């Protein structure tokens, strides 16, 4: 897993290509175990460089050490792509729900998918279904 991540990082970050993958594996193992992709490593390195105001040196003598320095303060649990994936999944669920509102099975009041809760915020599209749900007694298991 870490070897695959190291090889992917070498393809994405040209300045790491001369480094043996075995040299990058210990550095990237915590990130590989946390499910990082080569794109996540690239984004984290770019973000750290931007915060520090650094640029990639024209002549980089120790690329693995440079990458280690860029990733030093980055928590492997804070994968850069996780938020993007969550946003994409939420947007996809919203689009599926919007499609249901156009062509879905009508609720008892005739509104297509009016009784289907929105996947993100849980609202019902049909005002009559919302009123009925609000008036319904809460049942405890």
């Amino acid at each position: 897993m870490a070897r695959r991540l190291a090889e992917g990082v070498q393809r994405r970050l040209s300045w790491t290509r001369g480094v043996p993958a075995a040299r990058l594996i210990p550095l990237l193992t915590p990130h590989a175990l946390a499910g990082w992709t080569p794109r996540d490593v690239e984004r984290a390195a770019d973000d750290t460089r931007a915060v520090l105001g650094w640029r990639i040196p024209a002549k980089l003598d120790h690329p693995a050490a440079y990458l280690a320095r860029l990733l030093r303060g980055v928590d492997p649990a804070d994968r850069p792509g996780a938020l993007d994936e969550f946003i994409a999944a939420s947007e996809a669920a919203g689009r599926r729900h919007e499609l249901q509102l156009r062509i879905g099975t009508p609720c008892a009041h005739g509104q297509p998918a009016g009784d289907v809760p929105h996947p993100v915020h849980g609202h019902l599209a049909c005002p009559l279904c919302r009123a009925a749900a609000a008036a319904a007694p809460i049942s405890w298991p």
Side-chain angles (χ1 to χ4, degrees):
M1 182 176 359
R3 174 170 289 283
R4 209 170 36 239
L5 179 59
E7 291 167 352
V9 167
Q10 287 178 317
R11 284 190 295 276
R12 288 200 76 94
L13 301 174
S14 61
W15 47 272
T16 63
R17 289 193 184 132
V19 180
R23 175 71 177 95
L24 296 175
I25 289 172
L27 163 67
L28 296 173
T29 296
H31 299 88
L33 293 173
W36 283 44
T37 65
R39 175 71 179 125
D40 291 326
V41 174
E42 179 184 34
R43 286 179 62 184
D46 289 346
D47 290 348
T48 302
R49 278 197 351 261
V51 167
L52 296 174
W54 291 5
R55 294 181 183 209
I56 299 171
K59 184 174 187 305
L60 193 54
D61 294 329
H62 303 285
Y66 185 69
L67 181 60
R69 171 58 185 98
L70 292 175
L71 296 178
R72 182 183 307 155
V74 178
D75 184 0
D78 293 332
R79 190 171 61 84
L83 179 60
D84 295 338
E85 291 168 7
F86 174 76
I87 290 170
S90 295
E91 289 174 350
R95 284 191 301 275
R96 284 191 303 274
H97 185 70
E98 291 296 325
L99 179 63
Q100 271 191 324
L101 293 178
R102 287 195 301 275
I103 62 171
T105 304
C107 68
H109 309 105
Q111 168 129 4
D115 56 348
V116 178
H118 189 278
V120 176
H121 49 71
H123 293 219
L124 300 176
C126 174
L128 297 173
C129 288
R130 280 196 305 267
I138 298 174
S139 62
W140 297 94

